[in-house]
């Protein structure tokens, strides 16, 4: 089963997201747990969350992949910025329990000159503070493009963060096709090699979700500019092979392409109808 969806807006609540996803032909989706800029989150309506859970079950959805605000920086050089990331993510862990058993993805952050090792230590510290044994949510580290001082552009960095996390059954990885290509992993010519390397360095068991984006830039550019499917440097066939790879079967695939509803609906249809040439 191919679980495909896209990042949609939570302004109208949980059940509305589920209904929109179904209309678009999706069977998974992503959403921001709060204002993407990291502000205060609106209160959760438990009935609305329960209505979504029923809808997901009735329509055989895969796991959802909630996204933390992208402005949080768990490895900032400023203590108050790190503290803010911790407060938001701690609160998000509680909010996620209204949708038990789904995924929560975040960007590891930028070490802003403190060095990768210092960054990794701060990230693991934060994760060990917020991840509780009783939670049902798995927290996913997103693979990054390695732009600026971003941590998580190398599989080794992802592995080092996981290494430091105590509750390993609550941690996983979300692999972003645009980011890994921009980071220099050659999924255009050697997808098997890249997945083999991920397996050696991190372990494919930790891979829980995929972000499906074409890239405006060539491999190794460290830019992180998403393109619509088939309109970037990766192209439709590379992405088709990626989401249909036997080692990645059953993972939720989330589009974060520059689209509105109709565009996502079209891309989902395009990807579902793709066959290898
Ligand atoms: Fe992301
Ligand atoms: Fe992403
Ligand atoms: Zn990105």
């Amino acid at each position: 089963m191919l679980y495909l969806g896209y990042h949609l807006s939570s302004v109208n609540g949980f059940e509305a997201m589920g209904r929109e996803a179904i209309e678009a032909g999706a069977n998974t989706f992503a959403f921001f747990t709060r204002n993407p800029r990291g502000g205060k989150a609106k209160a959760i309506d438990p009935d609305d969350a329960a209505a979504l859970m029923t809808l997901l079950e009735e329509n055989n959805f895969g796991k959802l992949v909630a996204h933390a605000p992208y402005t949080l920086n768990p490895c900032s050089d400023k203590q108050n910025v790190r503290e803010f990331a911790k407060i938001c993510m701690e609160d998000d862990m509680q909010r996620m329990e209204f949708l038990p058993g789904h995924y929560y993805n975040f960007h590891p952050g930028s070490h802003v000159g403190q060095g990768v090792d210092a960054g990794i230590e701060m990230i693991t510290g934060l994760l060990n503070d917020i991840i509780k044994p009783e939670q049902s949510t798995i927290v996913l580290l997103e693979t990054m493009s390695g732009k600026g001082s971003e941590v998580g552009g190398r599989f080794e960095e992802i592995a080092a963060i996981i290494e430091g996390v105590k509750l390993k059954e609550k941690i996983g990885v979300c692999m972003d096709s645009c980011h890994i290509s921009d980071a220099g992993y050659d999924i255009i010519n050697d997808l098997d090699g890249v997945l083999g390397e991920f397996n050696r360095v991190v372990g494919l068991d930790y891979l829980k979700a995929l972000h499906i984006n074409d890239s405006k830039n060539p491999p190794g550019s460290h830019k992180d500019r998403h393109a619509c499917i088939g309109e970037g440097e990766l192209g439709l066939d590379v992405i088709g092979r990626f989401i249909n790879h036997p080692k990645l079967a059953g993972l939720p695939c989330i589009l974060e392409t520059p689209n509105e509803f109709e565009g996502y609906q079209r891309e989902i249809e395009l990807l579902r109808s793709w066959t290898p040439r």
Side-chain angles (χ1 to χ4, degrees), residues 199-220:
N199 192 36
R200 271 193 307 282
V201 176
V202 182
L204 278 169
D205 287 350
Y206 282 110
L207 189 54
K208 304 292 185 196
L210 306 175
H211 281 172
I212 305 304
N213 305 301
D214 211 325
S215 176
K216 289 208 160 104
N217 294 288

Side-chain angles (χ1 to χ4, degrees), residues 9 17 27 57 60 70 76 80 99 110 131 139 164 214 221 255:
S9 163
M17 286 195 285
N27 52 357
E57 199 171 322
N60 302 310
Y70 49 69
S76 168
N80 64 318
L99 301 171
S110 296
I131 298 176
V139 178
D214 211 325
S221 61
L255 293 159

Side-chain angles (χ1 to χ4, degrees), residues 107 142 144-145 176 178-179 211 213 224-226 256:
H107 296 180
E142 182 165 348
M144 303 308 291
S145 68
D176 185 311
C178 166
H179 296 178
H211 281 172
N213 305 301
D224 190 2
R225 299 277 314 281
H226 301 185
E256 300 175 305

Side-chain angles (χ1 to χ4, degrees), residues 64 66 105 118:
L64 305 185
N105 171 70

Side-chain angles (χ1 to χ4, degrees), residues 216-238:
K216 289 208 160 104
N217 294 288
S221 61
H222 304 292
K223 286 271 179 35
D224 190 2
R225 299 277 314 281
H226 301 185
C228 288
I229 303 304
E231 293 176 11
E233 297 284 332
L234 297 178
L236 175 60
D237 283 337
V238 169

Side-chain angles (χ1 to χ4, degrees), residues 146-247:
K147 172 174 48 113
S149 67
E150 262 174 5
V151 179
R154 304 286 318 162
F155 295 161
E156 286 78 4
E157 296 167 10
I158 298 284
I161 296 169
I162 292 174
E163 178 67 33
V165 173
K166 287 186 196 120
L167 296 168
K168 294 206 169 29
E169 68 281 10
K170 309 283 184 201
I171 189 90
V173 179
C174 174
M175 187 184 272
D176 185 311
S177 57
C178 166
H179 296 178
I180 58 170
S181 176
D182 282 17
Y185 292 101
D186 189 3
I187 59 170
I188 299 174
N189 300 299
D190 190 17
L191 177 59
D192 285 336
V194 171
L195 295 179
E197 186 172 344
F198 184 89
N199 192 36
R200 271 193 307 282
V201 176
V202 182
L204 278 169
D205 287 350
Y206 282 110
L207 189 54
K208 304 292 185 196
L210 306 175
H211 281 172
I212 305 304
N213 305 301
D214 211 325
S215 176
K216 289 208 160 104
N217 294 288
S221 61
H222 304 292
K223 286 271 179 35
D224 190 2
R225 299 277 314 281
H226 301 185
C228 288
I229 303 304
E231 293 176 11
E233 297 284 332
L234 297 178
L236 175 60
D237 283 337
V238 169
I239 290 168
R241 283 199 299 274
F242 186 58
I243 61 174
N244 288 289
H245 196 284
K247 292 216 153 82

